[in-house]
């Protein structure tokens, strides 16, 4: 399936000559796994996964259509309630339903809570389990899903995630949610159908959101000049708690992990709010409390697919040095509709005068994982940089999801799952040794 990409092929040929005939590129595995490359259509609005729940003004996407009530009744043993708020927004000639947001405080750790939303005959009941208290050896399993959309393939990805015996407890979503912007005037009814589609998982476990290019919804010629409007009205994130001024970048501590979400489509240069926030955030991470440092952003900093090649390059030049300095364990991205995992590499030695401008292997630098293979209507990307660059460890254009299972402060297990395989099959996997603890024991053993 891998096609040679002529332009870059010749660049590598020149590099080869420069090195006196040494083959500069002998990367890892370009999987030759066979799949049909049909593009999957969006599921029609009449599909079972988009069905509106029965009952007058019943909450959907966990939210009712008319104002109804923002009250959430919740209980583990005793019933309590919390009252939220609602927002609405317009997008060109679309008017959103009432979007209710309710924060429930003072919950116990590690407890299953039931909750009810809606009024009278149209209440609906769900449940969630609160995370364990933060601590260095607390095991926890994250799911990784990206670029999901709402096709038949998207539905397969979600089903595989739900059926994976690794049992993800929280999804790290790497951006590009509904793909409503593929419809004329970004038909926001497709934001609603997406909310109903993912409700079967989102209502029961947290999804930690990051925004991709399909969340920008920028349509100034139709009066829609506020970027990220549908997404930020629908998907609230606790950004103020981490001192951020925008829902597009923030952090969350979960079990033994510290998750930093950043935005590929917001300004990030020196003196921008995002840059200043990140510079304050990275030194705050206490690896004795949360050993695992994970960064999530939509656009990958390392990717060897032809499509979107080097789109993350300016951010890499800006930020990679900090991810290396602060020993980020892994960086998850999407955007490229395929799967790829890099070696542990860094490319931060270059300055404007030296010639050190190639990625170098370094066991104390992050692994970069592209998991943009959720299955949206744009289909998979097959064209790759050929030959496979050395920093690329494994790449394959198939739909799927991944899991990151933290065992304790030193060890985590990562696995990628294809939709075409059985639920427990792992198509790529890697044991992670925590970079902070690995490097402190390396120092201690001198
Ligand atoms: C989506 O997946 C679920 C769970 O596997 C299945 O019950 C449902 O019929 C699927 N719907 C469509 C439209 O593919
Ligand atoms: C919005 O405008 C489009 C294009 O003119 C039209 O097809 C659609 O029916 C309109 N929707 C509503 C809710 O008025
Ligand atoms: C980091 O966390 C550890 C363990 O809780 C604590 O002992 C230490 O004082 C913290 N370090 C800083 C700089 O806050
Ligand atoms: C951490 O987990 C790994 C894998 O389960 C295990 O081999 C290792 O002994 C554990 N380390 C500690 C300090 O518990
Ligand atoms: Fe994208």
């Amino acid at each position: 399936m891998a096609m040679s990409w002529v332009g870059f092929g010749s660049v590598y040929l020149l590099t080869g000559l420069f090195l006196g005939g040494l083959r500069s590129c002998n990367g890892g595995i370009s999987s030759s796994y066979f799949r049909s490359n049909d593009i999957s259509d969006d599921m029609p609005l009449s599909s079972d996964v988009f069905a509106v729940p029965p009952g007058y003004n019943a909450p959907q996407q966990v939210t009712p259509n008319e104002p109804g009530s923002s009250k959430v009744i919740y209980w583990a043993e005793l019933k309590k309630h919390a009252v939220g708020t609602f927002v609405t927004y317009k997008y060109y000639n679309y008017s959103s339903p009432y979007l209710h947001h309710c924060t429930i405080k003072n919950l116990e750790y590690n407890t299953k809570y039931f909750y009810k939303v809606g009024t009278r005959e149209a209440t609906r009941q769900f449940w969630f389990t609160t995370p364990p208290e933060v601590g260095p050896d607390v095991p926890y399993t994250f799911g990784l899903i990206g670029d999901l959309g709402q096709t038949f393939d998207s539905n397969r990805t979600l089903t595989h995630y739900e059926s994976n015996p690794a049992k993800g407890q929280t999804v790290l979503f790497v951006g590009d949610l509904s793909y409503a912007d593929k419809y004329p005037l970004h038909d926001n009814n497709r934001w609603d159908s997406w909310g109903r589609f993912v409700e079967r998982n989102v209502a029961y476990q947290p999804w930690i959101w990051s925004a991709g290019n399909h969340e920008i919804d920028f349509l100034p010629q139709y009066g829609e000049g506020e970027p990220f409007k549908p997404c930020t009205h629908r998907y609230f994130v606790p950004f103020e708690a981490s001192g951020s001024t925008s829902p597009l970048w923030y952090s969350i501590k979960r079990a033994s992990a510290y998750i930093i979400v950043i935005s590929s489509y917001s300004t990030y240069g020196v003196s921008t709010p995002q840059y200043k926030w990140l510079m304050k955030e990275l030194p705050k991470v206490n690896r004795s409390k949360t050993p695992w440092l994970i960064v999530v952003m939509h656009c990958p900093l390392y990717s060897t697919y032809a499509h979107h090649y080097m789109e993350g390059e300016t951010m890499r030049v800006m930020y990679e040095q900090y991810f290396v300095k602060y020993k980020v364990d892994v960086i998850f991205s999407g955007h490229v509709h395929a799967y790829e995992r890099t070696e542990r590499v860094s490319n931060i030695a270059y300055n404007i005068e030296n010639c050190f401008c190639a990625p170098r292997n370094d066991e104390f630098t992050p692994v970069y994982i592209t998991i943009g293979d959720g299955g949206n209507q744009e289909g998979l990307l097959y064209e790759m940089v050929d030959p496979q660059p050395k920093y690329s460890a494994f790449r394959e254009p198939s739909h799927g999801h991944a899991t990151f299972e933290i065992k304790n402060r030193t060890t985590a297990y990562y696995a990628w799952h294809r939709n075409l395989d059985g639920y427990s099959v792992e198509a790529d996997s890697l044991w992670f040794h925590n970079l902070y603890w690995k490097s402190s024991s390396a120092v201690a053993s001198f």
Side-chain angles (χ1 to χ4, degrees):
M1 283 294 165
M3 285 178 276
S4 139
W5 190 27
V6 175
F8 280 85
S10 47
V11 169
Y12 283 105
L13 181 62
L14 289 176
T15 321
L17 291 174
F18 179 65
L19 294 174
L22 278 178
R23 209 174 129 80
S24 66
C25 304
N26 53 344
I29 297 163
S30 292
S31 168
S32 56
Y33 187 80
F34 181 79
R35 72 201 73 73
S36 97
N37 59 359
D38 295 342
I39 289 184
S40 176
D41 286 331
D42 274 0
M43 296 179 279
L45 284 175
S46 56
S47 302
D48 50 1
V49 294
F50 299 144
V52 174
Y56 174 70
N57 196 33
Q60 53 160 291
Q61 317 167 49
V62 196
T63 172
N65 292 322
E66 287 177 23
S69 164
S70 307
K71 186 156 106 177
V72 175
I73 299 170
Y74 64 97
W75 67 95
E77 283 161 12
L78 285 177
K79 277 193 188 172
K80 296 183 185 172
H81 77 268
V83 177
T85 53
F86 63 80
V87 296
T88 59
Y89 73 93
K90 288 193 188 310
Y91 194 89
Y92 186 63
N93 64 354
Y94 164 91
S95 298
S96 78
Y98 291 85
L99 302 160
H100 294 261
H101 298 279
C102 182
T103 304
I104 303 175
K105 294 185 177 162
N106 301 318
L107 298 174
E108 299 293 327
Y109 291 109
N110 235 341
T111 304
K112 183 168 178 174
Y113 283 90
F114 294 91
Y115 67 103
K116 260 188 190 174
V117 292
T119 47
R120 276 175 247 115
E121 74 279 11
T123 53
R124 296 181 65 210
Q125 184 175 316
F126 306 91
W127 53 262
F128 60 82
T129 304
T130 50
E133 193 167 1
V134 169
D137 289 300
V138 180
Y140 203 75
T141 301
F142 292 99
L144 291 138
I145 299 179
D147 304 69
L148 187 58
Q150 43 194 303
T151 69
F152 293 94
D153 285 322
S154 321
N155 195 33
R156 278 178 209 117
T157 301
L158 190 56
T159 302
H160 273 248
Y161 172 59
E162 292 165 329
S163 312
N164 186 332
K167 292 217 181 305
Q169 293 164 279
T170 286
V171 169
L172 302 180
F173 192 85
V174 299
D176 283 358
L177 285 63
S178 74
Y179 287 74
D181 62 350
K182 301 295 284 187
Y183 286 83
L185 297 161
H186 296 205
D187 183 358
N188 277 222
N189 287 300
R190 280 286 175 175
W191 271 106
D192 290 322
S193 59
W194 194 80
R196 292 196 294 271
F197 159 48
V198 297
E199 182 196 271
R200 71 179 203 239
N201 196 269
V202 170
Y204 298 92
Q205 66 170 249
W207 285 40
I208 294 180
W209 305 107
S210 65
N213 51 309
H214 290 281
E215 276 68 72
I216 302 174
D217 283 311
F218 183 65
L219 215 55
Q221 61 276 42
Y222 291 97
E224 290 304 336
E226 182 193 336
F228 303 103
K229 187 188 200 178
C231 172
T232 54
H233 280 79
R234 287 165 186 273
Y235 295 100
F236 279 22
V237 299
F239 64 96
E240 287 108 334
S242 54
S244 164
T245 49
S246 164
L248 302 170
W249 54 89
Y250 62 99
S251 66
I252 286 184
K253 293 191 205 83
R254 174 62 41 93
S256 45
Y258 200 104
I259 316 291
I260 294 182
V261 173
I262 58 175
S263 171
S264 303
Y265 305 99
S266 305
T267 55
Y268 49 82
V270 175
S271 88
T272 60
Q274 180 166 218
Y275 176 90
K276 288 185 181 167
W277 176 82
L278 186 63
M279 290 308 108
K280 276 205 211 152
E281 192 64 14
L282 285 167
K284 268 203 238 163
V285 183
N286 183 341
R287 304 292 283 273
S288 300
K289 275 193 179 133
T290 50
W292 295 94
L293 180 51
I294 298 172
V295 172
V296 176
M297 69 179 85
H298 185 61
C299 184
L301 304 189
Y302 285 93
S303 164
T304 68
Y305 286 85
H307 207 70
H308 301 309
Y309 188 65
M310 283 178 78
E311 278 184 22
E313 187 62 6
T314 50
M315 193 184 256
R316 187 192 66 72
V317 169
M318 285 290 301
Y319 286 175
E320 183 185 12
Q321 55 188 312
Y322 305 114
F323 298 149
V324 171
K325 176 175 173 191
Y326 289 100
K327 301 195 168 59
V328 172
D329 288 292
V330 56
I331 297 177
F332 291 111
S333 300
H335 198 43
V336 177
H337 299 162
Y339 172 72
E340 184 163 24
R341 172 174 60 80
T342 68
E343 302 289 353
R344 290 197 180 275
V345 286
S346 86
N347 191 3
I348 57 171
Y350 178 73
N351 66 33
I352 201 160
E353 290 172 358
N354 66 29
C355 296
F356 307 138
C357 58
R360 290 195 292 182
N361 284 63
D362 180 342
E363 59 168 324
F364 294 112
T365 59
V367 173
Y368 296 82
I369 290 174
T370 303
I371 183 91
D373 53 351
N376 61 74
Q377 55 154 276
E378 291 178 342
L380 289 166
L381 297 171
Y382 297 96
E383 209 178 324
M384 305 175 193
V385 175
D386 182 39
Q388 184 170 14
K390 255 198 323 205
Y391 57 87
S392 169
F394 184 99
R395 54 185 190 176
E396 181 184 319
S398 287
H399 291 124
H401 75 277
T403 53
F404 189 78
E405 286 175 63
I406 298 176
K407 308 285 188 193
N408 54 38
R409 76 184 66 192
T410 58
T411 311
Y413 183 70
Y414 165 82
W416 176 60
H417 299 258
R418 280 187 200 105
N419 288 359
L420 290 170
D421 292 330
Y423 297 133
S424 55
V425 176
E426 294 166 359
D428 180 40
S429 65
L430 186 70
W431 284 96
F432 274 73
H433 303 289
N434 184 277
L435 278 196
Y436 176 81
W437 290 100
K438 189 163 95 176
S439 51
S440 45
S441 66
V443 170
S445 65
F446 263 113

